Amino acid sequence: MAESRVNSAEILGSDLHLELTRAGSRRTALMSALREAVRGGRLAPGTRLPPYRSLATDLGIARNTVADAYAELVAEGWLTARQGSGTRVAARTAPPPPRRTGGRERGGRPAAPAPAGRRRRATPAPRPTHNLLQGQPDASAFPRTAWLASARRALTAAPNEAFGPGDPHGRPELRRALADYLARARGVRTDPDRIVVCSGFAHALRLLSSTKVLRPALAVESYGLAFHRSLLSTAGVRTVPLPLDAHGARTEELAAHPALRTARAALLTPAHQFPTGGPLHSERRAAAVDWARAVGGLVLEDDYDGEFRYDRQPVGAVQGLDPDRVLYLGSVSKSLSPALRLGWMVLPDSLVDALLSAKGEREGWASALDQLTLADFIESGGYDRHVRRMRLRYRRRRDALVTTLAERAPHIRVSGIAAGLHAVLELPPGTERSAVQAASWQGLALDGLAGYRHPDATTPPLEGLVVGYATPPEHSFPAALDALCRALPPEPPPRTA
């Protein structure tokens, strides 16, 4: 009982017995002293530290120095900060180094001296217990029963030739089902002959890169997946960043910006910019199509999560504005599962033969049996029912994320939440790297925005966390949110003159 009272009580600054070294800045010295106090056990997990002003007065240093030291230690995972609860020693901190007595290790064996110049190895962060990485639907929600029913019906009805070598175009049953579904749900204008089935978005990019349509350069949004840029670079396609703002990609610069004048194709995420969020403004959608018409080029529309809209009516596909200049790309990786490896390209007539040639007669196509099952799943209404169910589930998670942050971290702004499977938590300048590290110490797997920025982007970098709220199983989501809040930087105190 006594220990509980000590851990929950506020320790006075004079009781911390911190010895600040004379070398270096006061902030660095205070951080070092607090770390040593935690390592040595003098500050137990849960101990509430004194407020900024009290500790600053006791140590004779500036209040902002203490505030900055606390904030950095919170980001590193040594401390936690909650509104109304103060700053406390974190429950999960780095363990103390092995104790040595008289130059000997435990067991009486002499301790080997550390090699000259070698630094003490940092304690590794704990293995992630919560996955908040973007781009992954809740795997536990896959509609196994309905999918199995569709597989049985599809196998029973499949013609004998479906079990042969196959067609690079894709199964006609799936292409017909997709043509109807995409017209109804996404406003895509096409017919089955203009759809080519592939194994996902990355596969589509590889196929397109093997043709001339993406050369000599491809305009891409200044924030996007580094994996896609690497894939394009490996294929010899140069990517040029297109600036972003609150209304999406600044497509008006396709014709005006000198660095973009060599591009004859542009890769966009108009329904929900990835990863910053938000739909492409209507005027910019039109500007992208006008540019493609003027230069004889193409717009590649990545509709990666077009089905998931929460606060407004769905935005139709840009492809509907000009099917001859917009190449529509989609997959089931977000709506069903990336394990299915099923995607599609809705092509202008002029490109169908080129893409079929790129696939080849013995290309590693998507499974014909999975294609037949997906066709039945769509036509039977199972796909629509699953998407509606998941839309409600993900919306509840999105709302829980927003509500929790409003209560526990009101200084953190959340954006990109009107659609999709992830949100962006906007962070104060200079805190993203330490926040990602703090998340790792809290057992969280998530990304910062820095890894999505094009290396040639010229606009000022954004700082934030990309939180995939769709990924965790339903039962573990509250614990994931709790760990996320512990990893966030505290609200900085007002600066004094």
mmCIF file with all atom_site columns, all heavy atoms in Angstrom, residues 35-36 39 76-78 92-98 119-127 437 440-441:
data_model
loop_
_atom_site.group_PDB
_atom_site.id
_atom_site.type_symbol
_atom_site.label_atom_id
_atom_site.label_alt_id
_atom_site.label_comp_id
_atom_site.label_asym_id
_atom_site.label_entity_id
_atom_site.label_seq_id
_atom_site.pdbx_PDB_ins_code
_atom_site.Cartn_x
_atom_site.Cartn_y
_atom_site.Cartn_z
_atom_site.occupancy
_atom_site.B_iso_or_equiv
_atom_site.pdbx_formal_charge
_atom_site.auth_seq_id
_atom_site.auth_comp_id
_atom_site.auth_asym_id
_atom_site.auth_atom_id
_atom_site.pdbx_PDB_model_num
ATOM 1   N N   . ARG A 1 35  ? 16.951 10.092  -16.936 1.00 0.00 ? 35  ARG A N   1
ATOM 2   C CA  . ARG A 1 35  ? 17.108 8.724   -17.452 1.00 0.00 ? 35  ARG A CA  1
ATOM 3   C C   . ARG A 1 35  ? 17.831 7.850   -16.432 1.00 0.00 ? 35  ARG A C   1
ATOM 4   O O   . ARG A 1 35  ? 17.444 6.701   -16.189 1.00 0.00 ? 35  ARG A O   1
ATOM 5   C CB  . ARG A 1 35  ? 17.892 8.737   -18.767 1.00 0.00 ? 35  ARG A CB  1
ATOM 6   C CG  . ARG A 1 35  ? 17.157 9.290   -19.977 1.00 0.00 ? 35  ARG A CG  1
ATOM 7   C CD  . ARG A 1 35  ? 17.900 8.929   -21.257 1.00 0.00 ? 35  ARG A CD  1
ATOM 8   N NE  . ARG A 1 35  ? 17.484 9.748   -22.389 1.00 0.00 ? 35  ARG A NE  1
ATOM 9   C CZ  . ARG A 1 35  ? 18.132 10.804  -22.840 1.00 0.00 ? 35  ARG A CZ  1
ATOM 10  N NH1 . ARG A 1 35  ? 19.248 11.204  -22.236 1.00 0.00 ? 35  ARG A NH1 1
ATOM 11  N NH2 . ARG A 1 35  ? 17.679 11.485  -23.869 1.00 0.00 ? 35  ARG A NH2 1
ATOM 12  N N   . GLU A 1 36  ? 18.903 8.366   -15.845 1.00 0.00 ? 36  GLU A N   1
ATOM 13  C CA  . GLU A 1 36  ? 19.664 7.584   -14.868 1.00 0.00 ? 36  GLU A CA  1
ATOM 14  C C   . GLU A 1 36  ? 18.828 7.276   -13.635 1.00 0.00 ? 36  GLU A C   1
ATOM 15  O O   . GLU A 1 36  ? 18.938 6.196   -13.053 1.00 0.00 ? 36  GLU A O   1
ATOM 16  C CB  . GLU A 1 36  ? 20.945 8.346   -14.474 1.00 0.00 ? 36  GLU A CB  1
ATOM 17  C CG  . GLU A 1 36  ? 21.999 8.395   -15.562 1.00 0.00 ? 36  GLU A CG  1
ATOM 18  C CD  . GLU A 1 36  ? 22.432 6.998   -16.000 1.00 0.00 ? 36  GLU A CD  1
ATOM 19  O OE1 . GLU A 1 36  ? 22.560 6.106   -15.138 1.00 0.00 ? 36  GLU A OE1 1
ATOM 20  O OE2 . GLU A 1 36  ? 22.610 6.793   -17.219 1.00 0.00 ? 36  GLU A OE2 1
ATOM 21  N N   . ARG A 1 39  ? 16.583 4.421   -14.737 1.00 0.00 ? 39  ARG A N   1
ATOM 22  C CA  . ARG A 1 39  ? 17.370 3.192   -14.890 1.00 0.00 ? 39  ARG A CA  1
ATOM 23  C C   . ARG A 1 39  ? 17.732 2.590   -13.531 1.00 0.00 ? 39  ARG A C   1
ATOM 24  O O   . ARG A 1 39  ? 17.659 1.389   -13.323 1.00 0.00 ? 39  ARG A O   1
ATOM 25  C CB  . ARG A 1 39  ? 18.657 3.480   -15.657 1.00 0.00 ? 39  ARG A CB  1
ATOM 26  C CG  . ARG A 1 39  ? 18.510 3.651   -17.151 1.00 0.00 ? 39  ARG A CG  1
ATOM 27  C CD  . ARG A 1 39  ? 19.867 3.553   -17.825 1.00 0.00 ? 39  ARG A CD  1
ATOM 28  N NE  . ARG A 1 39  ? 19.809 3.966   -19.214 1.00 0.00 ? 39  ARG A NE  1
ATOM 29  C CZ  . ARG A 1 39  ? 20.210 5.127   -19.674 1.00 0.00 ? 39  ARG A CZ  1
ATOM 30  N NH1 . ARG A 1 39  ? 20.695 6.042   -18.848 1.00 0.00 ? 39  ARG A NH1 1
ATOM 31  N NH2 . ARG A 1 39  ? 20.120 5.412   -20.958 1.00 0.00 ? 39  ARG A NH2 1
ATOM 32  N N   . GLU A 1 76  ? 10.568 9.699   -26.297 1.00 0.00 ? 76  GLU A N   1
ATOM 33  C CA  . GLU A 1 76  ? 11.461 8.541   -26.282 1.00 0.00 ? 76  GLU A CA  1
ATOM 34  C C   . GLU A 1 76  ? 10.856 7.343   -25.561 1.00 0.00 ? 76  GLU A C   1
ATOM 35  O O   . GLU A 1 76  ? 11.370 6.229   -25.673 1.00 0.00 ? 76  GLU A O   1
ATOM 36  C CB  . GLU A 1 76  ? 12.785 8.909   -25.606 1.00 0.00 ? 76  GLU A CB  1
ATOM 37  C CG  . GLU A 1 76  ? 13.628 9.884   -26.412 1.00 0.00 ? 76  GLU A CG  1
ATOM 38  C CD  . GLU A 1 76  ? 14.917 10.246  -25.696 1.00 0.00 ? 76  GLU A CD  1
ATOM 39  O OE1 . GLU A 1 76  ? 15.166 9.701   -24.601 1.00 0.00 ? 76  GLU A OE1 1
ATOM 40  O OE2 . GLU A 1 76  ? 15.677 11.073  -26.229 1.00 0.00 ? 76  GLU A OE2 1
ATOM 41  N N   . GLY A 1 77  ? 9.776  7.557   -24.806 1.00 0.00 ? 77  GLY A N   1
ATOM 42  C CA  . GLY A 1 77  ? 9.131  6.453   -24.111 1.00 0.00 ? 77  GLY A CA  1
ATOM 43  C C   . GLY A 1 77  ? 9.504  6.321   -22.650 1.00 0.00 ? 77  GLY A C   1
ATOM 44  O O   . GLY A 1 77  ? 9.021  5.407   -21.980 1.00 0.00 ? 77  GLY A O   1
ATOM 45  N N   . TRP A 1 78  ? 10.347 7.209   -22.127 1.00 0.00 ? 78  TRP A N   1
ATOM 46  C CA  . TRP A 1 78  ? 10.717 7.152   -20.709 1.00 0.00 ? 78  TRP A CA  1
ATOM 47  C C   . TRP A 1 78  ? 9.590  7.652   -19.818 1.00 0.00 ? 78  TRP A C   1
ATOM 48  O O   . TRP A 1 78  ? 9.400  7.162   -18.702 1.00 0.00 ? 78  TRP A O   1
ATOM 49  C CB  . TRP A 1 78  ? 11.962 7.994   -20.452 1.00 0.00 ? 78  TRP A CB  1
ATOM 50  C CG  . TRP A 1 78  ? 13.191 7.478   -21.113 1.00 0.00 ? 78  TRP A CG  1
ATOM 51  C CD1 . TRP A 1 78  ? 13.680 7.841   -22.335 1.00 0.00 ? 78  TRP A CD1 1
ATOM 52  C CD2 . TRP A 1 78  ? 14.093 6.492   -20.613 1.00 0.00 ? 78  TRP A CD2 1
ATOM 53  N NE1 . TRP A 1 78  ? 14.830 7.144   -22.625 1.00 0.00 ? 78  TRP A NE1 1
ATOM 54  C CE2 . TRP A 1 78  ? 15.110 6.309   -21.578 1.00 0.00 ? 78  TRP A CE2 1
ATOM 55  C CE3 . TRP A 1 78  ? 14.140 5.743   -19.436 1.00 0.00 ? 78  TRP A CE3 1
ATOM 56  C CZ2 . TRP A 1 78  ? 16.157 5.416   -21.402 1.00 0.00 ? 78  TRP A CZ2 1
ATOM 57  C CZ3 . TRP A 1 78  ? 15.182 4.853   -19.255 1.00 0.00 ? 78  TRP A CZ3 1
ATOM 58  C CH2 . TRP A 1 78  ? 16.179 4.695   -20.228 1.00 0.00 ? 78  TRP A CH2 1
ATOM 59  N N   . ARG A 1 92  ? 6.663  1.122   -19.218 1.00 0.00 ? 92  ARG A N   1
ATOM 60  C CA  . ARG A 1 92  ? 7.570  0.316   -20.030 1.00 0.00 ? 92  ARG A CA  1
ATOM 61  C C   . ARG A 1 92  ? 8.767  1.166   -20.391 1.00 0.00 ? 92  ARG A C   1
ATOM 62  O O   . ARG A 1 92  ? 8.700  2.054   -21.233 1.00 0.00 ? 92  ARG A O   1
ATOM 63  C CB  . ARG A 1 92  ? 6.871  -0.159  -21.303 1.00 0.00 ? 92  ARG A CB  1
ATOM 64  C CG  . ARG A 1 92  ? 7.751  -0.993  -22.197 1.00 0.00 ? 92  ARG A CG  1
ATOM 65  C CD  . ARG A 1 92  ? 6.980  -1.448  -23.415 1.00 0.00 ? 92  ARG A CD  1
ATOM 66  N NE  . ARG A 1 92  ? 5.920  -2.367  -23.044 1.00 0.00 ? 92  ARG A NE  1
ATOM 67  C CZ  . ARG A 1 92  ? 4.981  -2.779  -23.876 1.00 0.00 ? 92  ARG A CZ  1
ATOM 68  N NH1 . ARG A 1 92  ? 4.962  -2.358  -25.095 1.00 0.00 ? 92  ARG A NH1 1
ATOM 69  N NH2 . ARG A 1 92  ? 4.061  -3.622  -23.467 1.00 0.00 ? 92  ARG A NH2 1
ATOM 70  N N   . THR A 1 93  ? 9.870  0.925   -19.717 1.00 0.00 ? 93  THR A N   1
ATOM 71  C CA  . THR A 1 93  ? 11.090 1.677   -19.960 1.00 0.00 ? 93  THR A CA  1
ATOM 72  C C   . THR A 1 93  ? 12.241 0.737   -20.178 1.00 0.00 ? 93  THR A C   1
ATOM 73  O O   . THR A 1 93  ? 12.143 -0.466  -19.957 1.00 0.00 ? 93  THR A O   1
ATOM 74  C CB  . THR A 1 93  ? 11.424 2.606   -18.756 1.00 0.00 ? 93  THR A CB  1
ATOM 75  O OG1 . THR A 1 93  ? 11.473 1.799   -17.582 1.00 0.00 ? 93  THR A OG1 1
ATOM 76  C CG2 . THR A 1 93  ? 10.363 3.675   -18.580 1.00 0.00 ? 93  THR A CG2 1
ATOM 77  N N   . ALA A 1 94  ? 13.367 1.282   -20.619 1.00 0.00 ? 94  ALA A N   1
ATOM 78  C CA  . ALA A 1 94  ? 14.539 0.448   -20.867 1.00 0.00 ? 94  ALA A CA  1
ATOM 79  C C   . ALA A 1 94  ? 15.038 -0.140  -19.556 1.00 0.00 ? 94  ALA A C   1
ATOM 80  O O   . ALA A 1 94  ? 15.113 0.552   -18.542 1.00 0.00 ? 94  ALA A O   1
ATOM 81  C CB  . ALA A 1 94  ? 15.636 1.279   -21.512 1.00 0.00 ? 94  ALA A CB  1
ATOM 82  N N   . PRO A 1 95  ? 15.377 -1.438  -19.515 1.00 0.00 ? 95  PRO A N   1
ATOM 83  C CA  . PRO A 1 95  ? 15.863 -2.053  -18.285 1.00 0.00 ? 95  PRO A CA  1
ATOM 84  C C   . PRO A 1 95  ? 17.254 -1.529  -17.930 1.00 0.00 ? 95  PRO A C   1
ATOM 85  O O   . PRO A 1 95  ? 17.997 -1.085  -18.805 1.00 0.00 ? 95  PRO A O   1
ATOM 86  C CB  . PRO A 1 95  ? 15.918 -3.538  -18.642 1.00 0.00 ? 95  PRO A CB  1
ATOM 87  C CG  . PRO A 1 95  ? 16.090 -3.566  -20.117 1.00 0.00 ? 95  PRO A CG  1
ATOM 88  C CD  . PRO A 1 95  ? 15.345 -2.384  -20.652 1.00 0.00 ? 95  PRO A CD  1
ATOM 89  N N   . PRO A 1 96  ? 17.616 -1.573  -16.638 1.00 0.00 ? 96  PRO A N   1
ATOM 90  C CA  . PRO A 1 96  ? 18.945 -1.111  -16.256 1.00 0.00 ? 96  PRO A CA  1
ATOM 91  C C   . PRO A 1 96  ? 20.012 -2.051  -16.800 1.00 0.00 ? 96  PRO A C   1
ATOM 92  O O   . PRO A 1 96  ? 19.743 -3.229  -17.053 1.00 0.00 ? 96  PRO A O   1
ATOM 93  C CB  . PRO A 1 96  ? 18.906 -1.146  -14.724 1.00 0.00 ? 96  PRO A CB  1
ATOM 94  C CG  . PRO A 1 96  ? 17.850 -2.155  -14.413 1.00 0.00 ? 96  PRO A CG  1
ATOM 95  C CD  . PRO A 1 96  ? 16.832 -2.053  -15.497 1.00 0.00 ? 96  PRO A CD  1
ATOM 96  N N   . PRO A 1 97  ? 21.237 -1.547  -17.030 1.00 0.00 ? 97  PRO A N   1
ATOM 97  C CA  . PRO A 1 97  ? 22.311 -2.410  -17.509 1.00 0.00 ? 97  PRO A CA  1
ATOM 98  C C   . PRO A 1 97  ? 22.699 -3.426  -16.449 1.00 0.00 ? 97  PRO A C   1
ATOM 99  O O   . PRO A 1 97  ? 22.377 -3.257  -15.268 1.00 0.00 ? 97  PRO A O   1
ATOM 100 C CB  . PRO A 1 97  ? 23.446 -1.422  -17.783 1.00 0.00 ? 97  PRO A CB  1
ATOM 101 C CG  . PRO A 1 97  ? 23.168 -0.265  -16.878 1.00 0.00 ? 97  PRO A CG  1
ATOM 102 C CD  . PRO A 1 97  ? 21.678 -0.171  -16.784 1.00 0.00 ? 97  PRO A CD  1
ATOM 103 N N   . PRO A 1 98  ? 23.361 -4.538  -16.830 1.00 0.00 ? 98  PRO A N   1
ATOM 104 C CA  . PRO A 1 98  ? 23.780 -5.542  -15.845 1.00 0.00 ? 98  PRO A CA  1
ATOM 105 C C   . PRO A 1 98  ? 24.659 -4.923  -14.765 1.00 0.00 ? 98  PRO A C   1
ATOM 106 O O   . PRO A 1 98  ? 25.530 -4.100  -15.045 1.00 0.00 ? 98  PRO A O   1
ATOM 107 C CB  . PRO A 1 98  ? 24.576 -6.547  -16.691 1.00 0.00 ? 98  PRO A CB  1
ATOM 108 C CG  . PRO A 1 98  ? 24.085 -6.337  -18.093 1.00 0.00 ? 98  PRO A CG  1
ATOM 109 C CD  . PRO A 1 98  ? 23.742 -4.888  -18.194 1.00 0.00 ? 98  PRO A CD  1
ATOM 110 N N   . ARG A 1 119 ? 30.552 2.225   -28.298 1.00 0.00 ? 119 ARG A N   1
ATOM 111 C CA  . ARG A 1 119 ? 29.472 2.760   -27.479 1.00 0.00 ? 119 ARG A CA  1
ATOM 112 C C   . ARG A 1 119 ? 28.624 1.626   -26.930 1.00 0.00 ? 119 ARG A C   1
ATOM 113 O O   . ARG A 1 119 ? 28.523 0.568   -27.523 1.00 0.00 ? 119 ARG A O   1
ATOM 114 C CB  . ARG A 1 119 ? 28.588 3.686   -28.309 1.00 0.00 ? 119 ARG A CB  1
ATOM 115 C CG  . ARG A 1 119 ? 29.306 4.946   -28.800 1.00 0.00 ? 119 ARG A CG  1
ATOM 116 C CD  . ARG A 1 119 ? 28.356 5.813   -29.582 1.00 0.00 ? 119 ARG A CD  1
ATOM 117 N NE  . ARG A 1 119 ? 29.005 7.023   -30.037 1.00 0.00 ? 119 ARG A NE  1
ATOM 118 C CZ  . ARG A 1 119 ? 28.395 7.956   -30.764 1.00 0.00 ? 119 ARG A CZ  1
ATOM 119 N NH1 . ARG A 1 119 ? 27.135 7.790   -31.109 1.00 0.00 ? 119 ARG A NH1 1
ATOM 120 N NH2 . ARG A 1 119 ? 29.051 9.026   -31.146 1.00 0.00 ? 119 ARG A NH2 1
ATOM 121 N N   . ARG A 1 120 ? 27.993 1.874   -25.804 1.00 0.00 ? 120 ARG A N   1
ATOM 122 C CA  . ARG A 1 120 ? 27.099 0.886   -25.231 1.00 0.00 ? 120 ARG A CA  1
ATOM 123 C C   . ARG A 1 120 ? 25.920 0.669   -26.168 1.00 0.00 ? 120 ARG A C   1
ATOM 124 O O   . ARG A 1 120 ? 25.302 1.616   -26.637 1.00 0.00 ? 120 ARG A O   1
ATOM 125 C CB  . ARG A 1 120 ? 26.599 1.359   -23.862 1.00 0.00 ? 120 ARG A CB  1
ATOM 126 C CG  . ARG A 1 120 ? 25.724 0.316   -23.173 1.00 0.00 ? 120 ARG A CG  1
ATOM 127 C CD  . ARG A 1 120 ? 25.505 0.675   -21.730 1.00 0.00 ? 120 ARG A CD  1
ATOM 128 N NE  . ARG A 1 120 ? 24.983 2.019   -21.578 1.00 0.00 ? 120 ARG A NE  1
ATOM 129 C CZ  . ARG A 1 120 ? 24.925 2.658   -20.426 1.00 0.00 ? 120 ARG A CZ  1
ATOM 130 N NH1 . ARG A 1 120 ? 25.398 2.114   -19.349 1.00 0.00 ? 120 ARG A NH1 1
ATOM 131 N NH2 . ARG A 1 120 ? 24.427 3.874   -20.366 1.00 0.00 ? 120 ARG A NH2 1
ATOM 132 N N   . ARG A 1 121 ? 25.617 -0.578  -26.437 1.00 0.00 ? 121 ARG A N   1
ATOM 133 C CA  . ARG A 1 121 ? 24.540 -0.911  -27.362 1.00 0.00 ? 121 ARG A CA  1
ATOM 134 C C   . ARG A 1 121 ? 23.202 -0.477  -26.789 1.00 0.00 ? 121 ARG A C   1
ATOM 135 O O   . ARG A 1 121 ? 22.891 -0.730  -25.631 1.00 0.00 ? 121 ARG A O   1
ATOM 136 C CB  . ARG A 1 121 ? 24.535 -2.408  -27.630 1.00 0.00 ? 121 ARG A CB  1
ATOM 137 C CG  . ARG A 1 121 ? 23.480 -2.846  -28.630 1.00 0.00 ? 121 ARG A CG  1
ATOM 138 C CD  . ARG A 1 121 ? 23.588 -4.326  -28.878 1.00 0.00 ? 121 ARG A CD  1
ATOM 139 N NE  . ARG A 1 121 ? 24.883 -4.655  -29.456 1.00 0.00 ? 121 ARG A NE  1
ATOM 140 C CZ  . ARG A 1 121 ? 25.295 -5.905  -29.656 1.00 0.00 ? 121 ARG A CZ  1
ATOM 141 N NH1 . ARG A 1 121 ? 24.518 -6.924  -29.304 1.00 0.00 ? 121 ARG A NH1 1
ATOM 142 N NH2 . ARG A 1 121 ? 26.474 -6.132  -30.184 1.00 0.00 ? 121 ARG A NH2 1
ATOM 143 N N   . ALA A 1 122 ? 22.405 0.180   -27.641 1.00 0.00 ? 122 ALA A N   1
ATOM 144 C CA  . ALA A 1 122 ? 21.098 0.650   -27.193 1.00 0.00 ? 122 ALA A CA  1
ATOM 145 C C   . ALA A 1 122 ? 20.166 -0.538  -26.966 1.00 0.00 ? 122 ALA A C   1
ATOM 146 O O   . ALA A 1 122 ? 20.218 -1.530  -27.688 1.00 0.00 ? 122 ALA A O   1
ATOM 147 C CB  . ALA A 1 122 ? 20.486 1.584   -28.242 1.00 0.00 ? 122 ALA A CB  1
ATOM 148 N N   . THR A 1 123 ? 19.322 -0.403  -25.951 1.00 0.00 ? 123 THR A N   1
ATOM 149 C CA  . THR A 1 123 ? 18.348 -1.454  -25.687 1.00 0.00 ? 123 THR A CA  1
ATOM 150 C C   . THR A 1 123 ? 17.301 -1.469  -26.790 1.00 0.00 ? 123 THR A C   1
ATOM 151 O O   . THR A 1 123 ? 16.736 -0.429  -27.114 1.00 0.00 ? 123 THR A O   1
ATOM 152 C CB  . THR A 1 123 ? 17.657 -1.198  -24.341 1.00 0.00 ? 123 THR A CB  1
ATOM 153 O OG1 . THR A 1 123 ? 18.649 -1.099  -23.332 1.00 0.00 ? 123 THR A OG1 1
ATOM 154 C CG2 . THR A 1 123 ? 16.687 -2.323  -24.012 1.00 0.00 ? 123 THR A CG2 1
ATOM 155 N N   . PRO A 1 124 ? 17.047 -2.615  -27.411 1.00 0.00 ? 124 PRO A N   1
ATOM 156 C CA  . PRO A 1 124 ? 16.079 -2.637  -28.507 1.00 0.00 ? 124 PRO A CA  1
ATOM 157 C C   . PRO A 1 124 ? 14.668 -2.367  -28.005 1.00 0.00 ? 124 PRO A C   1
ATOM 158 O O   . PRO A 1 124 ? 14.318 -2.676  -26.873 1.00 0.00 ? 124 PRO A O   1
ATOM 159 C CB  . PRO A 1 124 ? 16.205 -4.061  -29.061 1.00 0.00 ? 124 PRO A CB  1
ATOM 160 C CG  . PRO A 1 124 ? 16.728 -4.868  -27.919 1.00 0.00 ? 124 PRO A CG  1
ATOM 161 C CD  . PRO A 1 124 ? 17.630 -3.945  -27.144 1.00 0.00 ? 124 PRO A CD  1
ATOM 162 N N   . ALA A 1 125 ? 13.865 -1.747  -28.885 1.00 0.00 ? 125 ALA A N   1
ATOM 163 C CA  . ALA A 1 125 ? 12.471 -1.496  -28.544 1.00 0.00 ? 125 ALA A CA  1
ATOM 164 C C   . ALA A 1 125 ? 11.714 -2.819  -28.483 1.00 0.00 ? 125 ALA A C   1
ATOM 165 O O   . ALA A 1 125 ? 12.096 -3.796  -29.124 1.00 0.00 ? 125 ALA A O   1
ATOM 166 C CB  . ALA A 1 125 ? 11.835 -0.580  -29.591 1.00 0.00 ? 125 ALA A CB  1
ATOM 167 N N   . PRO A 1 126 ? 10.649 -2.873  -27.684 1.00 0.00 ? 126 PRO A N   1
ATOM 168 C CA  . PRO A 1 126 ? 9.874  -4.116  -27.603 1.00 0.00 ? 126 PRO A CA  1
ATOM 169 C C   . PRO A 1 126 ? 9.228  -4.459  -28.946 1.00 0.00 ? 126 PRO A C   1
ATOM 170 O O   . PRO A 1 126 ? 8.987  -3.584  -29.775 1.00 0.00 ? 126 PRO A O   1
ATOM 171 C CB  . PRO A 1 126 ? 8.813  -3.795  -26.552 1.00 0.00 ? 126 PRO A CB  1
ATOM 172 C CG  . PRO A 1 126 ? 8.717  -2.304  -26.531 1.00 0.00 ? 126 PRO A CG  1
ATOM 173 C CD  . PRO A 1 126 ? 10.084 -1.794  -26.853 1.00 0.00 ? 126 PRO A CD  1
ATOM 174 N N   . ARG A 1 127 ? 8.960  -5.748  -29.145 1.00 0.00 ? 127 ARG A N   1
ATOM 175 C CA  . ARG A 1 127 ? 8.290  -6.164  -30.369 1.00 0.00 ? 127 ARG A CA  1
ATOM 176 C C   . ARG A 1 127 ? 6.878  -5.590  -30.391 1.00 0.00 ? 127 ARG A C   1
ATOM 177 O O   . ARG A 1 127 ? 6.217  -5.496  -29.357 1.00 0.00 ? 127 ARG A O   1
ATOM 178 C CB  . ARG A 1 127 ? 8.239  -7.683  -30.447 1.00 0.00 ? 127 ARG A CB  1
ATOM 179 C CG  . ARG A 1 127 ? 9.596  -8.329  -30.582 1.00 0.00 ? 127 ARG A CG  1
ATOM 180 C CD  . ARG A 1 127 ? 9.455  -9.836  -30.709 1.00 0.00 ? 127 ARG A CD  1
ATOM 181 N NE  . ARG A 1 127 ? 8.746  -10.190 -31.927 1.00 0.00 ? 127 ARG A NE  1
ATOM 182 C CZ  . ARG A 1 127 ? 8.443  -11.435 -32.260 1.00 0.00 ? 127 ARG A CZ  1
ATOM 183 N NH1 . ARG A 1 127 ? 8.786  -12.438 -31.467 1.00 0.00 ? 127 ARG A NH1 1
ATOM 184 N NH2 . ARG A 1 127 ? 7.809  -11.685 -33.391 1.00 0.00 ? 127 ARG A NH2 1
ATOM 185 N N   . GLN A 1 437 ? 9.488  6.875   -32.623 1.00 0.00 ? 437 GLN A N   1
ATOM 186 C CA  . GLN A 1 437 ? 10.303 6.094   -31.692 1.00 0.00 ? 437 GLN A CA  1
ATOM 187 C C   . GLN A 1 437 ? 9.520  5.798   -30.410 1.00 0.00 ? 437 GLN A C   1
ATOM 188 O O   . GLN A 1 437 ? 9.569  4.671   -29.883 1.00 0.00 ? 437 GLN A O   1
ATOM 189 C CB  . GLN A 1 437 ? 11.581 6.852   -31.359 1.00 0.00 ? 437 GLN A CB  1
ATOM 190 C CG  . GLN A 1 437 ? 12.544 6.068   -30.479 1.00 0.00 ? 437 GLN A CG  1
ATOM 191 C CD  . GLN A 1 437 ? 13.811 6.853   -30.167 1.00 0.00 ? 437 GLN A CD  1
ATOM 192 O OE1 . GLN A 1 437 ? 13.834 8.079   -30.267 1.00 0.00 ? 437 GLN A OE1 1
ATOM 193 N NE2 . GLN A 1 437 ? 14.864 6.158   -29.793 1.00 0.00 ? 437 GLN A NE2 1
ATOM 194 N N   . SER A 1 440 ? 7.147  3.037   -30.957 1.00 0.00 ? 440 SER A N   1
ATOM 195 C CA  . SER A 1 440 ? 7.818  1.745   -30.941 1.00 0.00 ? 440 SER A CA  1
ATOM 196 C C   . SER A 1 440 ? 7.993  1.244   -29.512 1.00 0.00 ? 440 SER A C   1
ATOM 197 O O   . SER A 1 440 ? 7.781  0.064   -29.225 1.00 0.00 ? 440 SER A O   1
ATOM 198 C CB  . SER A 1 440 ? 9.174  1.856   -31.643 1.00 0.00 ? 440 SER A CB  1
ATOM 199 O OG  . SER A 1 440 ? 9.888  0.649   -31.576 1.00 0.00 ? 440 SER A OG  1
ATOM 200 N N   . TRP A 1 441 ? 8.337  2.150   -28.598 1.00 0.00 ? 441 TRP A N   1
ATOM 201 C CA  . TRP A 1 441 ? 8.501  1.755   -27.197 1.00 0.00 ? 441 TRP A CA  1
ATOM 202 C C   . TRP A 1 441 ? 7.168  1.395   -26.545 1.00 0.00 ? 441 TRP A C   1
ATOM 203 O O   . TRP A 1 441 ? 7.129  0.652   -25.565 1.00 0.00 ? 441 TRP A O   1
ATOM 204 C CB  . TRP A 1 441 ? 9.175  2.879   -26.414 1.00 0.00 ? 441 TRP A CB  1
ATOM 205 C CG  . TRP A 1 441 ? 10.663 2.852   -26.591 1.00 0.00 ? 441 TRP A CG  1
ATOM 206 C CD1 . TRP A 1 441 ? 11.425 3.692   -27.337 1.00 0.00 ? 441 TRP A CD1 1
ATOM 207 C CD2 . TRP A 1 441 ? 11.569 1.905   -26.029 1.00 0.00 ? 441 TRP A CD2 1
ATOM 208 N NE1 . TRP A 1 441 ? 12.738 3.324   -27.292 1.00 0.00 ? 441 TRP A NE1 1
ATOM 209 C CE2 . TRP A 1 441 ? 12.864 2.228   -26.485 1.00 0.00 ? 441 TRP A CE2 1
ATOM 210 C CE3 . TRP A 1 441 ? 11.416 0.802   -25.184 1.00 0.00 ? 441 TRP A CE3 1
ATOM 211 C CZ2 . TRP A 1 441 ? 13.990 1.501   -26.127 1.00 0.00 ? 441 TRP A CZ2 1
ATOM 212 C CZ3 . TRP A 1 441 ? 12.536 0.074   -24.829 1.00 0.00 ? 441 TRP A CZ3 1
ATOM 213 C CH2 . TRP A 1 441 ? 13.802 0.433   -25.293 1.00 0.00 ? 441 TRP A CH2 1
#
